[in-house]
Amino acid sequence: MEASPSNPPPPSASTLDPDVKNLFDNCVRAVFSRWTVLCLAVEQGWGGRNSAQKADDLLQSVVEMFASGERVYADELEDVLFDSIENDFNTTAEDGSVEQVARQLTTIWHKASQGDLTMLHSTLAANPQKGSLASVHKHDPADDDSDEDDSSDDEDAPSPAPAQPDTMDVEPTPTVDPDGWETVPSRRGGKRR
């Protein structure tokens, strides 16, 4: 598809300031660190011993999608997220969170590529924890085999902060292309094949 005045080229990672790219990477990490399904998958080791690494790999593949220079649509990102949750963590996300994470990240990227960094900054400000998504990993599945009747470990162990449901319940703003077409979000929900 060629660029024209009515159909500009998609936002490209090469057109963004390196500081904005770095902020966006941190923003993806912040969104992932509040995504309950992913955090539980890492905490509980649903992806095996290397669940934290699988979560970091997913984060990197999402960041690379946006950095590729081609426009990333929410439904494409949903497919990547659904596939990773199902294949890497052996679970399904039927709570609508995959769609919500995909819409949130594509909206943030689109706005940031147009110079509007308010949503990016507000997402980062809402995330008090810094560092790797792997820092969410508190549970070692290897410990499940030992001392099954010792219940005091669960009471004394620090538990991760519960996900803030209100931070993920943001109504997505419709994405309107420069030519006036509005992108309609997927209605798949839990009906993934």
mmCIF file of all heavy atoms in Angstrom, residues 8 20 45 51 54 57 65 77 83-84 101-102 108 113 123 131 138 141-142 159 169 172 180:
data_model
loop_
_atom_site.group_PDB
_atom_site.id
_atom_site.type_symbol
_atom_site.label_atom_id
_atom_site.label_comp_id
_atom_site.label_asym_id
_atom_site.label_seq_id
_atom_site.Cartn_x
_atom_site.Cartn_y
_atom_site.Cartn_z
ATOM 1 N N PRO A 8 -1.368 8.063 4.933
ATOM 2 C CA PRO A 8 0.039 8.187 5.304
ATOM 3 C C PRO A 8 0.625 6.812 5.646
ATOM 4 O O PRO A 8 -0.111 5.886 5.956
ATOM 5 C CB PRO A 8 0.010 9.086 6.533
ATOM 6 C CG PRO A 8 -1.344 8.924 7.101
ATOM 7 C CD PRO A 8 -2.254 8.628 5.937
ATOM 8 N N VAL A 20 11.618 7.590 23.344
ATOM 9 C CA VAL A 20 10.212 7.185 23.291
ATOM 10 C C VAL A 20 10.129 5.668 23.108
ATOM 11 O O VAL A 20 9.292 5.007 23.721
ATOM 12 C CB VAL A 20 9.457 7.929 22.171
ATOM 13 C CG1 VAL A 20 8.039 7.416 22.029
ATOM 14 C CG2 VAL A 20 9.446 9.427 22.449
ATOM 15 N N GLY A 45 4.099 -21.242 37.668
ATOM 16 C CA GLY A 45 4.931 -22.109 36.846
ATOM 17 C C GLY A 45 4.150 -22.903 35.818
ATOM 18 O O GLY A 45 4.506 -24.039 35.515
ATOM 19 N N SER A 51 9.105 -20.544 33.135
ATOM 20 C CA SER A 51 7.943 -19.680 32.886
ATOM 21 C C SER A 51 8.324 -18.213 32.806
ATOM 22 O O SER A 51 7.821 -17.478 31.956
ATOM 23 C CB SER A 51 6.889 -19.871 33.978
ATOM 24 O OG SER A 51 6.331 -21.158 33.910
ATOM 25 N N LYS A 54 9.848 -17.527 29.507
ATOM 26 C CA LYS A 54 8.826 -17.525 28.457
ATOM 27 C C LYS A 54 8.064 -16.200 28.450
ATOM 28 O O LYS A 54 7.735 -15.672 27.390
ATOM 29 C CB LYS A 54 7.860 -18.692 28.638
ATOM 30 C CG LYS A 54 8.482 -20.034 28.310
ATOM 31 C CD LYS A 54 7.502 -21.168 28.514
ATOM 32 C CE LYS A 54 8.133 -22.501 28.172
ATOM 33 N NZ LYS A 54 7.193 -23.610 28.355
ATOM 34 N N ASP A 57 10.321 -13.697 26.911
ATOM 35 C CA ASP A 57 10.374 -13.922 25.460
ATOM 36 C C ASP A 57 9.137 -13.339 24.776
ATOM 37 O O ASP A 57 9.237 -12.733 23.707
ATOM 38 C CB ASP A 57 10.483 -15.406 25.141
ATOM 39 C CG ASP A 57 11.830 -16.002 25.535
ATOM 40 O OD1 ASP A 57 12.776 -15.237 25.812
ATOM 41 O OD2 ASP A 57 11.925 -17.255 25.583
ATOM 42 N N MET A 65 7.567 -6.702 17.456
ATOM 43 C CA MET A 65 6.471 -6.485 16.500
ATOM 44 C C MET A 65 6.299 -4.997 16.219
ATOM 45 O O MET A 65 6.171 -4.578 15.075
ATOM 46 C CB MET A 65 5.137 -7.032 17.045
ATOM 47 C CG MET A 65 4.914 -8.493 16.879
ATOM 48 S SD MET A 65 3.302 -9.003 17.552
ATOM 49 C CE MET A 65 2.182 -8.357 16.311
ATOM 50 N N LEU A 77 -1.933 -8.697 17.268
ATOM 51 C CA LEU A 77 -1.300 -8.824 18.573
ATOM 52 C C LEU A 77 -2.067 -9.811 19.452
ATOM 53 O O LEU A 77 -1.470 -10.601 20.176
ATOM 54 C CB LEU A 77 -1.194 -7.457 19.246
ATOM 55 C CG LEU A 77 -0.465 -7.409 20.582
ATOM 56 C CD1 LEU A 77 0.935 -8.007 20.481
ATOM 57 C CD2 LEU A 77 -0.404 -5.975 21.086
ATOM 58 N N ASP A 83 -1.754 -17.235 21.377
ATOM 59 C CA ASP A 83 -0.894 -18.388 21.078
ATOM 60 C C ASP A 83 0.123 -18.626 22.182
ATOM 61 O O ASP A 83 0.358 -19.770 22.580
ATOM 62 C CB ASP A 83 -0.180 -18.198 19.737
ATOM 63 C CG ASP A 83 -1.118 -18.316 18.551
ATOM 64 O OD1 ASP A 83 -2.251 -18.824 18.727
ATOM 65 O OD2 ASP A 83 -0.736 -17.890 17.445
ATOM 66 N N SER A 84 0.717 -17.557 22.691
ATOM 67 C CA SER A 84 1.708 -17.709 23.747
ATOM 68 C C SER A 84 1.074 -18.229 25.034
ATOM 69 O O SER A 84 1.615 -19.139 25.675
ATOM 70 C CB SER A 84 2.411 -16.386 24.015
ATOM 71 O OG SER A 84 3.348 -16.544 25.057
ATOM 72 N N VAL A 101 -5.321 -6.137 26.592
ATOM 73 C CA VAL A 101 -3.889 -5.845 26.547
ATOM 74 C C VAL A 101 -3.492 -5.444 25.123
ATOM 75 O O VAL A 101 -2.767 -4.466 24.925
ATOM 76 C CB VAL A 101 -3.068 -7.057 27.036
ATOM 77 C CG1 VAL A 101 -1.591 -6.908 26.699
ATOM 78 C CG2 VAL A 101 -3.250 -7.252 28.538
ATOM 79 N N ALA A 102 -3.986 -6.173 24.132
ATOM 80 C CA ALA A 102 -3.654 -5.864 22.733
ATOM 81 C C ALA A 102 -4.152 -4.478 22.343
ATOM 82 O O ALA A 102 -3.418 -3.697 21.724
ATOM 83 C CB ALA A 102 -4.252 -6.923 21.805
ATOM 84 N N ILE A 108 -1.546 2.819 22.713
ATOM 85 C CA ILE A 108 -0.414 3.565 23.252
ATOM 86 C C ILE A 108 0.628 3.797 22.164
ATOM 87 O O ILE A 108 1.144 4.907 22.006
ATOM 88 C CB ILE A 108 0.204 2.827 24.460
ATOM 89 C CG1 ILE A 108 -0.763 2.857 25.649
ATOM 90 C CG2 ILE A 108 1.549 3.436 24.851
ATOM 91 C CD1 ILE A 108 -0.369 1.950 26.795
ATOM 92 N N SER A 113 3.403 7.371 18.535
ATOM 93 C CA SER A 113 3.987 7.622 17.212
ATOM 94 C C SER A 113 3.483 8.928 16.612
ATOM 95 O O SER A 113 4.106 9.479 15.712
ATOM 96 C CB SER A 113 3.689 6.460 16.271
ATOM 97 O OG SER A 113 2.305 6.375 16.014
ATOM 98 N N THR A 123 0.426 5.251 31.879
ATOM 99 C CA THR A 123 0.567 3.806 32.084
ATOM 100 C C THR A 123 1.800 3.510 32.926
ATOM 101 O O THR A 123 1.755 2.677 33.826
ATOM 102 C CB THR A 123 0.650 3.072 30.731
ATOM 103 O OG1 THR A 123 -0.533 3.348 29.985
ATOM 104 C CG2 THR A 123 0.802 1.577 30.918
ATOM 105 N N GLY A 131 11.548 -3.100 36.950
ATOM 106 C CA GLY A 131 12.370 -4.284 36.795
ATOM 107 C C GLY A 131 11.746 -5.265 35.834
ATOM 108 O O GLY A 131 10.796 -4.966 35.125
ATOM 109 N N LYS A 138 7.479 -15.765 41.929
ATOM 110 C CA LYS A 138 7.712 -16.018 43.340
ATOM 111 C C LYS A 138 7.646 -17.506 43.676
ATOM 112 O O LYS A 138 8.055 -17.924 44.716
ATOM 113 C CB LYS A 138 6.650 -15.308 44.191
ATOM 114 C CG LYS A 138 6.563 -13.836 43.975
ATOM 115 C CD LYS A 138 7.458 -13.128 44.913
ATOM 116 C CE LYS A 138 7.192 -11.657 44.864
ATOM 117 N NZ LYS A 138 8.326 -10.869 44.563
ATOM 118 N N PRO A 141 8.088 -24.298 41.042
ATOM 119 C CA PRO A 141 7.353 -25.547 40.941
ATOM 120 C C PRO A 141 8.130 -26.725 41.512
ATOM 121 O O PRO A 141 7.543 -27.710 41.927
ATOM 122 C CB PRO A 141 7.116 -25.740 39.448
ATOM 123 C CG PRO A 141 7.521 -24.490 38.781
ATOM 124 C CD PRO A 141 8.291 -23.678 39.751
ATOM 125 N N ALA A 142 9.443 -26.661 41.593
ATOM 126 C CA ALA A 142 10.236 -27.747 42.156
ATOM 127 C C ALA A 142 9.946 -27.904 43.646
ATOM 128 O O ALA A 142 10.125 -28.987 44.208
ATOM 129 C CB ALA A 142 11.716 -27.481 41.929
ATOM 130 N N SER A 159 3.335 -12.446 49.401
ATOM 131 C CA SER A 159 2.497 -12.686 48.233
ATOM 132 C C SER A 159 2.588 -11.474 47.314
ATOM 133 O O SER A 159 2.734 -10.352 47.778
ATOM 134 C CB SER A 159 1.042 -12.923 48.648
ATOM 135 O OG SER A 159 0.551 -11.798 49.317
ATOM 136 N N ASP A 169 -9.383 -2.004 33.282
ATOM 137 C CA ASP A 169 -10.743 -1.828 32.807
ATOM 138 C C ASP A 169 -10.932 -0.508 32.086
ATOM 139 O O ASP A 169 -11.985 0.099 32.153
ATOM 140 C CB ASP A 169 -11.735 -1.905 33.981
ATOM 141 C CG ASP A 169 -11.834 -3.309 34.538
ATOM 142 O OD1 ASP A 169 -11.489 -4.248 33.799
ATOM 143 O OD2 ASP A 169 -12.255 -3.460 35.686
ATOM 144 N N PRO A 172 -11.405 1.124 25.752
ATOM 145 C CA PRO A 172 -10.522 1.494 24.650
ATOM 146 C C PRO A 172 -11.155 2.581 23.792
ATOM 147 O O PRO A 172 -12.355 2.580 23.548
ATOM 148 C CB PRO A 172 -10.376 0.196 23.857
ATOM 149 C CG PRO A 172 -11.610 -0.569 24.173
ATOM 150 C CD PRO A 172 -11.989 -0.185 25.584
ATOM 151 N N GLY A 180 -10.534 8.305 8.072
ATOM 152 C CA GLY A 180 -11.848 8.346 8.710
ATOM 153 C C GLY A 180 -12.434 6.985 9.048
ATOM 154 O O GLY A 180 -13.502 6.893 9.625
#
